[in-house]
Amino acid sequence: MQSAEQFGNKLRELRTARGLTQRQLADLMIVSNGTIGNWETGKRLPDLSMLARLAGCLGVETWVLIDALRGSDCAPRIIVVEDVPVVLRGSIHMLEEELPGAEILGFSNAADALTYSNSNPVSIAFLDIELPGEDGIKLGRKLTQLDEHTNIIFLTSHIEYLQEATYDHCSGYVLKPLTPDRIRHEISHLRFPVRGLNL
C-alpha cells in the first residue's frame, strides 16, 4: 500500500503545483470528484489509460506518474533470467554497456527471479522461455501480476512461442543472440516507458 500512498502524494503535489482543485482536475479528467479523492488518498489507483490522461491534464510525462505508482526514485531495475551461464553473463554485460543508468541482475531460474521480484520493483525483464522448472512465459505472467507495468521481453532461440508471447502482450521478442542494436530497438519500443534509461 506504500506505493498507493506515494502515488497519492505525488498526484496531490502535481495538482497543487498546477493550481487545480480536485473538482477542476475531475472536470478535466471527466471523472467524479470522489475518484480524484480516492486516488489522492491511495484508496484506489488509476489504470494505465487513466494514467496517460492524468499526465496530460497535469502537464507531465506519463513516466512521472508510473514512477510514483511504483514507488521508484532509484535507477531502473532490469532482470535477465537465463539458464545457460555464458548467455546470462553475456546478456548482463551487454545490457550494462548499453544501459549504464540501470541496475541489472541475473537469475538462472524462474523461482529465484520471482522471489527477488516479490520485494523489488522490476522495470524490464528479459526472459528465456525454456527454463528448468517454470517456463519464461508463465514467469512473465507472474511478474506482471506483481506489477502490471513490468515490461516483459522474451529472449529465446525459439520462434514457435511468438504467438503465445504476443497474446500475453509482451513488450518484445528477441531471437538469440542479444545484440546492442536489438537492445536499443527494444528499449525504444517499450510498452511502459521507463525513466532513467539512457541510450
Side-chain angles (χ1 to χ4, degrees):
M1 206 57 161
Q2 185 179 2
S3 65
E5 290 174 20
Q6 184 166 334
F7 176 81
N9 292 337
K10 186 66 170 179
L11 175 56
R12 190 176 311 104
E13 172 193 321
L14 293 169
R15 176 182 57 76
T16 304
R18 295 280 298 202
L20 297 171
T21 65
Q22 282 186 350
R23 166 55 52 207
Q24 290 168 324
L25 181 56
D27 289 345
L28 288 171
M29 289 287 299
I30 314 171
V31 297
S32 72
N33 194 39
T35 297
I36 301 298
N38 283 336
W39 291 346
E40 287 189 359
T41 59
K43 290 180 183 171
R44 290 188 51 223
L45 292 172
D47 63 19
L48 188 59
S49 65
M50 283 298 207
L51 277 178
R53 284 177 52 195
L54 191 54
C57 291
L58 295 170
V60 297
E61 296 289 333
T62 306
W63 61 258
V64 172
L65 296 175
I66 292 174
D67 277 359
L69 189 60
R70 289 175 179 253
S72 169
D73 289 327
C74 58
R77 191 171 287 122
I78 299 173
I79 63 170
V80 181
V81 185
E82 166 62 61
D83 62 326
V84 178
V86 69
V87 176
L88 179 59
R89 285 191 304 272
S91 298
I92 291 171
H93 177 71
M94 197 173 305
L95 286 163
E96 288 173 340
E97 290 287 317
E98 293 300 315
L99 305 169
E103 178 183 348
I104 301 165
L105 300 122
F107 300 92
S108 59
N109 63 69
D112 290 345
L114 193 58
T115 298
Y116 174 81
S117 301
N118 269 315
S119 54
N120 298 282
V122 173
S123 302
I124 305 169
F126 284 85
L127 307 178
D128 186 14
I129 292 179
E130 293 191 348
L131 293 167
E134 187 162 54
D135 68 59
I137 291 186
K138 289 179 185 167
L139 173 60
R141 290 176 187 148
K142 288 184 177 180
L143 291 173
T144 55
Q145 286 172 355
L146 289 173
D147 182 347
E148 65 183 342
H149 298 115
T150 299
N151 292 285
I152 304 297
I153 300 173
F154 292 107
L155 177 59
T156 183
S157 300
H158 306 280
I159 192 70
E160 64 267 22
Y161 298 109
L162 180 58
Q163 184 175 0
E164 187 175 3
T166 303
Y167 179 78
D168 282 343
H169 304 289
C170 68
S171 187
Y173 196 93
V174 178
L175 291 176
K176 293 178 186 174
L178 187 61
T179 65
D181 287 341
R182 287 303 304 193
I183 292 171
R184 287 190 293 273
H185 175 80
E186 295 303 327
I187 297 305
S188 64
H189 292 86
L190 293 173
R191 288 188 72 214
F192 306 108
V194 176
R195 179 183 179 191
L197 290 181
N198 303 318
L199 289 173

